[in-house]
Amino acid sequence: MSTDARDPGADPALPFGAGLRPETRSTDRSEPRGARGSRARSGPRTAHDRSPGGAPAALGADAPDLGTFLDADGGAPLGTAGARALCASAAGAFSGAELRDSLERAMGPAATDPRFKPTPDEVSAAFLGGQPLVIDGGVSGVDAVAVVVQPSEPFAHLGARVLQALASATRVALIGHPDLPSLGPRLTAALREGGVEPWRLAAFDRADGAALGEIAGRPSVALDLIDFDPVEGLTLDRLRRLRALAVAEAASTLRASGRDRGASEGASEGASGGASGGAGAEAAAGADPWFGLGAVDRPPMPILVRRRLSRQASLGVEADPEDAALPEGDLAEAAELVVEQAFGRGALGGFASDAVTSVLIRPDLFSAFTACLLETLEETDEDPWFAPPPWVQRDPRSQALRDLAGGRRRVLDEGATLIHERRLARQAPCGLVFTNVEPRMKLAGEMSVPGALFLVRALDTR
């Protein structure tokens, strides 16, 4: 992921410092500037009781209002060590009859795949190997993170994302997915049983995108998504526009607040005969935390999009350590391995975030391997083992199938050749295989197309 809507960092279209709202409580002007930056985000205090340490008390059994939860003050992140100690609790969350039932409805036969029953070691490995939300303080002042559930993701990675958010932020909102309604509450309950205070973590439904829209309108809350509308970027663009509007509104409020304060100070100075030199001296000394009427002390938090893992298989060329090396001495076996890892049950018919998406092939093996691959695909076209799960097939207008259709158009426009296409019962395409894919194409880098496999001729066979 390198550019455009898939950039994992802060939105480059927004200026630094554009996102903080004006404070609604009095500010201690004697407090050092650095201390304010390390404190929880300024905002309206909630009606929740406070614990003796200043953090909000437990919010009770029912989930709080999303805005109230995100605006709460106090507390500190768990840190890396505290979050990592919860790996066993996170792994234990992915069990139980209620979750199994929703998994079977959403995933069909794939519900029994090991990707949905991670061990503590797998969660720990994903936690240590994943992309952290905050890297060496590069994103400062994160008070709240919204982690969005995506059913294409292995549960070990989901647990790791939640733990990374707890390590970096005071509060974490887990935004559920309608196809896995019990997942968020189950994970939240397990982590609370492991010692996470209720004010740190809460689960929320993603009804009609309302939760995402509200979060996108809060530019001081980091938004953590995975494989979210990766082809066209339309939904993500809407979130970014909401965030930009919230930034503009916050800046306008700051300017209006400054004008009102200036008029009030001017009237007071006139009534006292112009003898009030203290306020001017204080402003000149830079004590006003809102210096510049719109300059703020942190950038808007990022919309962090974690792209598909883009797993690649290699045939006859030197493979990277994370790539799958295929046996060049048996091309039929190599083809079977690719089909299984690209479209098999563990790959959710190609819609898993960790499915194999491309094969890098030595030129002299390209034609023979392609023939073996097509033969294998024809044998599996009617096999339900290689069909996408119900959450993909349930609606022909689902986001996943729209992504696939949009990706098909984009890939063909770039000059790749479609050599295989499977049709679902509703005539929606899936299981796409493209050849003549070149590294210069967007699909080889920043663009992700679920349910598709790309055959790439290796130009450098060293």
Side-chain angles (χ1 to χ4, degrees):
M1 171 171 37
S2 57
T3 60
D4 204 344
R6 291 156 296 277
D7 186 7
D11 188 348
L14 304 181
F16 177 85
L20 196 65
R21 303 170 183 170
E23 292 198 19
T24 58
R25 64 172 183 261
S26 60
T27 302
D28 183 0
R29 296 179 180 270
S30 64
E31 184 181 25
R33 184 77 166 176
R36 290 186 67 247
S38 61
R39 208 175 51 183
R41 176 174 59 85
S42 299
R45 289 183 180 272
T46 69
H48 298 298
D49 294 333
R50 306 286 162 171
S51 65
L59 294 174
D62 295 331
D65 172 74
L66 178 60
T68 302
F69 176 76
L70 294 174
D71 284 336
D73 291 333
L78 284 177
T80 300
R84 188 183 179 188
L86 295 165
C87 287
S89 297
F94 305 119
S95 60
E98 185 180 1
L99 182 56
R100 291 294 111 188
D101 289 344
S102 64
L103 262 179
E104 289 178 3
R105 288 191 298 270
M107 303 298 172
T112 59
D113 193 82
R115 64 186 292 110
F116 300 121
K117 296 180 180 180
T119 65
D121 287 343
E122 289 172 335
V123 175
S124 180
F127 175 77
L128 296 176
Q131 178 187 1
L133 187 66
V134 180
I135 304 174
D136 297 330
V139 179
S140 61
V142 175
D143 297 325
V145 177
V147 178
V148 182
V149 174
Q150 171 53 251
S152 66
E153 179 182 23
F155 279 177
H157 289 255
L158 172 62
R161 284 201 296 139
V162 173
L163 295 183
Q164 287 167 354
L166 287 170
S168 305
T170 305
R171 277 164 298 285
V172 178
L174 184 58
I175 310 302
H177 192 280
D179 284 297
L180 295 172
S182 61
L183 179 57
R186 175 63 188 165
L187 180 55
T188 299
L191 291 176
R192 287 180 178 179
E193 291 173 4
V196 175
E197 300 91 337
W199 54 265
R200 289 189 185 274
L201 177 66
F204 301 89
D205 290 331
R206 197 177 78 188
D208 300 324
L212 285 178
E214 181 173 353
I215 293 166
R218 295 172 176 268
S220 58
V221 178
L223 187 58
D224 187 347
L225 313 167
I226 182 168
D227 198 19
F228 193 77
D229 202 3
V231 178
E232 301 292 347
L234 299 178
T235 305
L236 187 56
D237 283 348
R238 283 195 286 271
L239 295 180
R240 292 256 168 119
R241 285 197 294 272
L242 279 173
R243 178 148 293 185
L245 288 173
V247 166
E249 182 180 355
S252 175
T253 303
L254 284 172
R255 287 193 295 271
S257 175
R259 286 194 298 270
D260 292 344
R261 184 172 61 244
S264 174
E265 290 175 353
S268 175
E269 183 176 350
S272 62
S276 177
E282 183 182 16
D288 187 352
W290 302 106
F291 173 78
L293 300 181
V296 294
D297 42 5
R298 77 180 61 171
M301 294 301 103
I303 297 178
L304 178 69
V305 183
R306 301 170 187 261
R307 65 181 298 178
R308 286 158 59 100
L309 299 181
S310 297
R311 292 179 57 205
Q312 179 173 268
S314 299
L315 178 62
V317 296
E318 184 177 348
D320 292 333
E322 63 272 16
D323 291 346
L326 301 172
E328 61 180 288
D330 190 340
L331 297 184
E333 180 185 357
E336 291 176 1
L337 290 172
V338 168
V339 171
E340 179 64 36
Q341 295 178 38
F343 302 115
R345 182 171 296 183
L348 302 183
F351 290 85
S353 64
D354 57 342
V356 165
T357 57
S358 64
V359 185
L360 187 64
I361 308 167
R362 199 173 70 207
D364 62 298
L365 300 176
F366 200 92
S367 296
F369 172 76
T370 301
C372 290
L373 182 68
L374 290 174
E375 183 178 338
T376 304
L377 288 167
E378 289 175 1
E379 294 173 354
T380 60
D381 270 352
E382 303 301 325
D383 190 340
W385 184 276
F386 299 90
W391 70 266
V392 174
Q393 298 193 54
R394 192 169 290 131
D395 181 3
R397 297 166 297 178
S398 68
Q399 185 65 59
L401 291 178
R402 290 205 309 270
D403 276 350
L404 179 58
R408 184 182 188 276
R409 293 191 300 269
R410 292 279 295 272
V411 172
L412 292 175
D413 287 346
E414 283 201 284
T417 302
L418 179 63
I419 60 174
H420 183 82
E421 184 177 44
R422 181 179 188 177
R423 289 281 171 173
L424 302 175
R426 301 186 184 213
Q427 293 303 304
C430 71
L432 307 184
V433 179
F434 294 91
T435 190
N436 297 331
V437 177
E438 299 178 13
R440 64 175 177 81
M441 296 178 178
K442 292 183 70 173
L443 61 91
E446 65 188 63
M447 190 173 72
S448 171
V449 181
L453 176 69
F454 307 125
L455 305 183
V456 185
R457 185 177 280 102
L459 301 179
D460 185 357
T461 58
R462 289 178 300 172

